[in-house]
Amino acid sequence: QHAQHAPQGPPLQLSPPPDGQQPGSGVWASVASVDFGLLFVAAFAGWGGGIVLLNHIGKIVTAAAPAQASSQASPILVSLLSACNCIGRMAAGACSDALSRRRVPRPHLLAAATCLT
Protein backbone atom coordinates (compact mmCIF):
# COMPACT_ATOMS: atom_id res chain seq x y z
CA GLN A 1 0.00 0.00 0.00
CA HIS A 2 1.44 3.38 0.97
CA ALA A 3 4.95 3.48 2.39
CA GLN A 4 5.46 6.05 5.08
CA HIS A 5 8.48 8.27 4.73
CA ALA A 6 10.13 10.26 7.48
CA PRO A 7 9.81 14.00 6.93
CA GLN A 8 12.90 15.46 5.36
CA GLY A 9 14.24 18.87 6.28
CA PRO A 10 16.51 21.03 4.19
CA PRO A 11 19.98 19.58 3.53
CA LEU A 12 22.88 20.77 5.66
CA GLN A 13 24.61 23.69 3.99
CA LEU A 14 28.14 24.90 4.56
CA SER A 15 27.61 28.24 2.85
CA PRO A 16 24.84 30.85 2.89
CA PRO A 17 21.74 29.90 0.93
CA PRO A 18 21.37 31.35 -2.58
CA ASP A 19 19.12 34.28 -3.49
CA GLY A 20 19.79 36.13 -0.24
CA GLN A 21 17.62 33.79 1.86
CA GLN A 22 18.39 33.96 5.55
CA PRO A 23 18.76 30.68 7.47
CA GLY A 24 17.29 30.41 10.96
CA SER A 25 18.76 33.11 13.15
CA GLY A 26 19.54 33.15 16.83
CA VAL A 27 22.01 31.51 19.14
CA TRP A 28 20.57 28.00 19.03
CA ALA A 29 20.32 27.99 15.24
CA SER A 30 23.99 28.99 15.09
CA VAL A 31 25.05 26.32 17.59
CA ALA A 32 23.13 23.67 15.66
CA SER A 33 24.76 24.58 12.33
CA VAL A 34 27.54 22.57 10.74
CA ASP A 35 29.66 25.73 10.38
CA PHE A 36 29.67 26.23 14.16
CA GLY A 37 30.73 22.65 14.76
CA LEU A 38 33.60 22.90 12.29
CA LEU A 39 34.81 26.20 13.75
CA PHE A 40 34.55 24.87 17.31
CA VAL A 41 36.60 21.75 16.52
CA ALA A 42 39.22 23.77 14.63
CA ALA A 43 39.54 26.33 17.42
CA PHE A 44 39.63 23.72 20.19
CA ALA A 45 42.19 21.52 18.45
CA GLY A 46 44.32 24.26 16.94
CA TRP A 47 44.54 26.78 19.74
CA GLY A 48 44.45 24.48 22.76
CA GLY A 49 48.16 23.69 22.58
CA GLY A 50 49.08 27.36 22.30
CA ILE A 51 47.06 28.25 25.38
CA VAL A 52 48.68 25.44 27.36
CA LEU A 53 52.11 26.69 26.34
CA LEU A 54 51.28 30.27 27.32
CA ASN A 55 49.96 29.21 30.70
CA HIS A 56 52.94 27.02 31.59
CA ILE A 57 55.91 28.73 29.95
CA GLY A 58 57.38 29.80 33.29
CA LYS A 59 57.40 26.23 34.60
CA ILE A 60 58.78 24.93 31.30
CA VAL A 61 61.73 27.34 31.44
CA THR A 62 62.38 26.48 35.09
CA ALA A 63 62.39 22.76 34.31
CA ALA A 64 64.60 23.07 31.21
CA ALA A 65 67.36 25.28 32.60
CA PRO A 66 69.64 25.00 35.63
CA ALA A 67 68.23 26.50 38.83
CA GLN A 68 70.24 29.72 38.88
CA ALA A 69 69.85 30.46 35.15
CA SER A 70 66.11 29.70 35.11
CA SER A 71 65.36 32.07 37.98
CA GLN A 72 66.92 34.91 36.00
CA ALA A 73 65.75 33.92 32.53
CA SER A 74 62.18 32.89 33.31
CA PRO A 75 60.67 36.39 33.72
CA ILE A 76 62.50 37.63 30.62
CA LEU A 77 61.36 34.72 28.45
CA VAL A 78 57.77 34.94 29.71
CA SER A 79 57.71 38.68 28.91
CA LEU A 80 59.25 38.09 25.49
CA LEU A 81 56.75 35.37 24.65
CA SER A 82 53.85 37.56 25.81
CA ALA A 83 55.01 40.50 23.70
CA CYS A 84 55.49 38.30 20.62
CA ASN A 85 52.08 36.72 21.22
CA CYS A 86 50.45 40.16 21.28
CA ILE A 87 52.25 41.32 18.12
CA GLY A 88 51.42 38.06 16.35
CA ARG A 89 47.73 38.32 17.20
CA MET A 90 47.55 41.89 15.92
CA ALA A 91 49.43 40.97 12.73
CA ALA A 92 47.18 37.95 12.15
CA GLY A 93 44.08 40.12 12.51
CA ALA A 94 45.46 42.73 10.11
CA CYS A 95 46.43 40.05 7.56
CA SER A 96 43.03 38.41 7.89
CA ASP A 97 41.26 41.70 7.22
CA ALA A 98 43.52 42.54 4.28
CA LEU A 99 43.13 39.12 2.68
CA SER A 100 39.38 38.98 3.23
CA ARG A 101 39.07 42.24 1.29
CA ARG A 102 40.76 40.41 -1.59
CA ARG A 103 38.05 37.73 -1.46
CA VAL A 104 40.04 35.07 0.41
CA PRO A 105 37.46 33.17 2.50
CA ARG A 106 37.95 33.45 6.26
CA PRO A 107 37.72 29.65 6.79
CA HIS A 108 40.81 29.32 4.58
CA LEU A 109 42.58 31.86 6.78
CA LEU A 110 41.52 29.94 9.89
CA ALA A 111 42.93 26.75 8.41
CA ALA A 112 46.23 28.49 7.59
CA ALA A 113 46.51 29.99 11.08
CA THR A 114 45.77 26.62 12.67
CA CYS A 115 48.46 24.96 10.58
CA LEU A 116 51.00 27.56 11.72
CA THR A 117 50.31 26.80 15.37
Side-chain angles (χ1 to χ4, degrees), residues 25-37:
S25 60
V27 173
W28 295 115
S30 297
V31 170
S33 71
V34 174
D35 290 338
F36 179 84

Side-chain angles (χ1 to χ4, degrees), residues 88-106 109-110:
R89 287 176 184 262
M90 290 191 306
C95 289
S96 174
D97 288 343
L99 290 174
S100 66
R101 281 188 225 119
R102 294 184 179 180
R103 304 279 188 214
V104 176
R106 287 203 189 255
L109 300 172
L110 174 66

Side-chain angles (χ1 to χ4, degrees), residues 56-83:
H56 298 293
I57 190 67
K59 292 179 182 178
I60 293 170
V61 170
T62 303
Q68 185 178 2
S70 67
S71 65
Q72 296 170 352
S74 182
I76 295 169
L77 290 175
V78 169
S79 298
L80 181 64
L81 180 69
S82 297

